[in-house]
Amino acid sequence: MEDFRVGGGRAPRRGRPPVSDEQRERQRLDISRHAVRLFAEQGVAATSGEQIARAAGVSERTLWRYFSTKESCVEPLLTKTIDAFRAVLHAWPAGIDLTEHLRAAYRPVLESSSSADIEAVHTVVRLTRDEPALRAAYLMLRERAEDTFAEVLAERMGMRADAFEVRAQAAAVNAVLKVAADRLAHDTAETGITPEVLHRHREQLANALSLVTRGLSDGRGN
């Protein structure tokens, strides 16, 4: 039963105000940053959820409300590199070859990301090479990203998004993107992202994707 004040007014709601989606995502990203730092400093096995929560300034209850495992705490940062490709794929103009578009517009991480977040993304991608649990989380994210790739490719191919040919193309694109991201993380371990490294990354990605997206340049695969 609702609580009303004398005079017909509704009583003020007690307790904490609800967290907005934007606040929730900011908090998840902040937790992710601290998790990656701790994983890099002391390894995944030696890092507990309690340590991550304490470093992020949140309760363990909040941590486990946002993430099912400590390893999944890396997802908000890893998503940045997948979202960067999603963004450029959605902006792919009709009548232009995908490789040409990538050379002009692609960045490995969302342009709005800070330099610290960009380095954190590359750090966690490097960690996935030796940490099976982090690798599993990374591959799960990439598998989910295939749905977006399939939607865009389906439109270009004039086919259904669940068609075998479309799903195969999306999987191939995803595999190329994963290999390119792994290589970029390795190449930037010492130097960070330089214009030369970024140019080489774009060229490698574009050249590899040209092998799996032939026939998609004119918007209908003709």
Side-chain angles (χ1 to χ4, degrees):
M1 182 178 295
E2 291 184 324
D3 180 19
F4 291 90
R5 294 175 294 182
V6 175
R10 181 172 295 177
R13 179 176 297 184
R14 296 180 180 178
R16 295 181 179 180
V19 176
S20 68
D21 290 342
E22 184 179 353
Q23 290 172 318
R24 178 178 180 274
E25 289 309 308
R26 281 202 305 265
Q27 194 165 51
R28 291 183 78 251
L29 181 58
D30 189 54
I31 292 171
S32 189
R33 293 175 180 129
H34 289 285
V36 170
R37 177 180 59 80
L38 290 171
F39 290 158
E41 290 175 355
Q42 57 194 37
V44 175
T47 301
S48 67
E50 179 184 5
Q51 288 176 313
I52 297 171
R54 185 166 60 247
V58 300
S59 67
E60 278 194 80
R61 181 179 179 181
T62 295
L63 177 75
W64 300 130
R65 186 168 69 246
Y66 289 159
F67 302 100
S68 59
T69 65
K70 65 181 181 181
E71 292 84 6
S72 66
C73 290
V74 303
E75 290 182 3
L77 278 170
L78 284 176
T79 298
K80 282 181 172 286
T81 187
I82 296 172
D83 285 348
F85 189 78
R86 278 195 183 115
V88 77
L89 197 59
H90 277 299
W92 179 15
I96 295 180
D97 188 82
L98 177 59
T99 57
E100 180 183 346
H101 176 54
L102 288 172
R103 287 187 173 101
Y106 174 68
R107 293 185 62 83
V109 180
L110 287 174
E111 194 168 3
S112 59
S113 302
S114 67
S115 58
D117 278 354
I118 292 173
E119 178 52 36
V121 169
H122 294 151
T123 295
V124 71
V125 172
R126 287 192 290 269
L127 286 172
T128 64
R129 297 170 67 94
D130 301 311
E131 296 282 0
L134 295 186
R135 191 68 175 178
Y138 184 37
L139 295 179
M140 283 295 295
L141 280 176
R142 289 212 169 277
E143 184 175 346
R144 293 201 296 267
E146 282 185 21
D147 291 338
T148 300
F149 302 162
E151 290 170 5
V152 178
L153 295 176
E155 182 179 353
R156 294 304 174 111
M157 298 168 73
M159 303 174 69
R160 290 169 53 93
D162 60 355
F164 175 82
E165 294 88 343
V166 174
R167 299 302 305 190
Q169 286 272 16
V173 168
N174 205 22
V176 169
L177 187 60
K178 178 180 71 66
V179 172
D182 287 350
R183 177 60 62 88
L184 180 63
H186 176 268
D187 291 347
T188 57
E190 300 295 334
T191 63
I193 290 188
T194 64
E196 294 78 14
V197 169
L198 181 57
H199 174 73
R200 183 168 67 249
H201 172 66
R202 279 177 171 160
E203 287 299 309
Q204 289 173 337
L205 180 61
N207 290 337
L209 283 177
S210 70
L211 300 177
V212 299
T213 59
R214 288 177 179 173
L216 297 177
S217 61
D218 67 352
R220 284 292 175 182
N222 296 321

